[in-house]
């Protein structure tokens, strides 16, 4: 077991914690707990996971000292709203980072206020990444299992590159250490658990989804810029206009059509122009 602790707000809200030094997958631990009847509201957190999963079955590498955290919840909401929990996680992580990063590291805050020079070095990338200087700093993965009573158990996995970024990836990745920020995975998790408590309360079983999405847009990467979205081998190109109230990426195509994207791999700017 490891020495992670919940933040004060998370403890007051009744969240529980199971910490590990190393584990196969925190998402797997959470889903196994759900299958065994755990009611949710428990974090599974590790400094290393050796069998982590990313989107679409990709491997998520997590070298020792990084943060692998999964929250198991059983929300009382329409199942169609469960997917918006990814935005809750993104905004929560944005708020947590803003709480622990030094003032010299420019960051757009939860209220949308710009950093010191008006340039955001850290931003949210649709649908589930956090970027630093355009490189991937953190990723989010939602997995769901249907329970016997018809409700969904949701595992919300959050991986943060704290001390090191994985190598050999098809996209650039970065760590807090690369940014000159010396933080322990436990410090990041403490801030994350408190930020989640606040933003999940705002979400309010889906009734506050619109408010969460507004916060997400305030910290979004690439709005107004060229974008290319790859879906099953096809590429949609245009300008990233916004995300709609359902959390879909809205692309304005060259013929002025507005295209709503529900899933895909997103590339911005010059990278978007180079995609084939």
């Amino acid at each position: 077991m490891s020495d992670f602790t919940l933040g004060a707000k998370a403890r007051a809200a009744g969240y529980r914690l199971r910490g590990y030094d190393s584990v196969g997958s925190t998402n797997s631990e959470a889903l196994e707990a759900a299958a065994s009847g755990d009611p949710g509201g428990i974090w599974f957190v590790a400094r290393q996971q050796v069998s982590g999963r990313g989107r679409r079955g990709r491997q998520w590498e997590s070298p020792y000292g990084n943060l692998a955290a999964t929250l198991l919840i059983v929300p009382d909401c329409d199942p169609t709203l469960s997917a918006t929990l990814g935005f809750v996680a993104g905004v929560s992580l944005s708020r947590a980072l803003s709480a622990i990063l030094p003032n010299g590291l420019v960051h757009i805050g939860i209220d949308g206020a710009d950093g010191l020079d008006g340039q955001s070095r850290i931003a949210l990338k649709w649908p589930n990444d956090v970027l630093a200087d355009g490189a991937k700093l953190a990723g989010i993965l939602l997995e769901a299992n249907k329970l016997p009573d018809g409700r969904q158990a949701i595992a919300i996995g959050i991986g943060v590159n704290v001390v090191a970024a994985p190598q050999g990836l098809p996209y650039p990745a970065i760590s807090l250490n690369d940014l000159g920020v010396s933080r322990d995975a436990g410090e990041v998790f403490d801030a994350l658990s408190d930020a989640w408590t606040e933003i999940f309360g705002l979400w309010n079983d889906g009734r506050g989804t619109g408010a969460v999405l507004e916060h997400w847009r305030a910290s979004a990467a690439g709005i107004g810029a060229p974008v290319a979205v790859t879906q099953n081998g096809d590429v949609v190109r245009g300008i990233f206009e916004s995300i709609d109230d359902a959390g879909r990426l809205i692309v304005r195509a060259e013929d002025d059509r507005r295209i709503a994207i529900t899933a895909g791999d997103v590339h911005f700017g010059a990278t978007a122009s180079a995609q084939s």
Side-chain angles (χ1 to χ4, degrees):
M1 306 302 282
S2 192
D3 58 351
F4 289 101
T5 59
L6 290 161
K9 293 176 183 177
R11 291 195 303 272
Y15 284 94
R16 295 170 290 137
L17 171 65
R18 192 174 299 172
Y20 305 87
D21 204 45
S22 181
V23 72
S25 163
T26 54
N27 267 30
S28 293
E29 294 292 324
L31 293 173
E32 288 174 9
S36 298
D38 193 287
I42 179 171
W43 285 96
F44 297 82
V45 191
R47 296 180 185 275
Q48 180 185 40
Q49 59 177 2
V50 297
S51 303
R53 298 189 294 277
R55 292 176 60 226
R56 304 184 182 187
R58 298 165 179 156
Q59 183 179 3
W60 175 264
E61 294 184 37
S62 184
Y64 188 86
N66 284 353
L67 175 64
T70 298
L71 176 63
L72 172 66
I73 62 172
V74 184
D76 184 17
C77 71
D78 186 315
T80 61
L81 291 173
S82 296
T84 64
L85 286 164
F87 296 101
V88 177
V91 173
S92 299
L93 186 52
S94 174
R95 173 170 281 192
L97 290 171
S98 70
I100 65 172
L101 293 176
N103 290 334
L105 186 61
V106 180
H107 181 66
I108 290 182
I110 192 68
D111 58 359
D114 286 349
L116 298 179
D117 62 3
Q119 300 297 314
S120 173
R121 292 181 61 188
I122 294 184
L124 297 172
K125 180 185 176 186
W126 186 92
N128 55 11
D129 290 342
V130 177
L131 305 181
D133 293 344
K136 185 169 180 174
L137 175 66
I140 297 163
L141 175 67
L142 268 63
E143 295 184 292
N145 278 350
K146 190 173 182 179
L147 299 176
D149 63 7
R151 294 182 300 162
Q152 283 188 318
I154 312 292
I156 304 163
I158 301 172
V160 184
N161 297 330
V162 179
V163 299
Q167 302 298 309
L169 301 175
Y171 51 82
I174 199 168
S175 69
L176 291 178
N177 189 53
D178 294 329
L179 295 169
V181 177
S182 179
R183 290 289 186 272
D184 179 78
E187 294 178 82
V188 179
F189 173 70
D190 184 292
L192 173 61
S193 66
D194 274 351
W196 169 272
T197 301
E198 293 184 28
I199 303 304
F200 184 63
L202 178 64
W203 186 73
N204 191 20
D205 290 329
R207 291 182 287 272
T209 297
V212 172
L213 291 176
E214 278 301 307
H215 286 312
W216 193 95
R217 293 182 189 103
S219 294
I223 289 182
V227 65
V229 185
T230 304
Q231 299 177 300
N232 300 319
D234 296 325
V235 180
V236 175
R237 301 180 188 277
I239 299 297
F240 176 16
E241 189 169 273
S242 187
I243 58 170
D244 67 11
D245 290 342
R248 298 177 299 180
L249 177 74
I250 304 300
V251 177
R252 185 170 293 278
E254 292 182 357
D255 60 6
D256 215 34
R257 287 181 301 132
R258 297 176 76 248
I259 303 171
I261 308 291
T262 57
D265 290 326
V266 175
H267 305 273
F268 293 124
T271 306
S273 301
Q275 293 299 306
S276 59

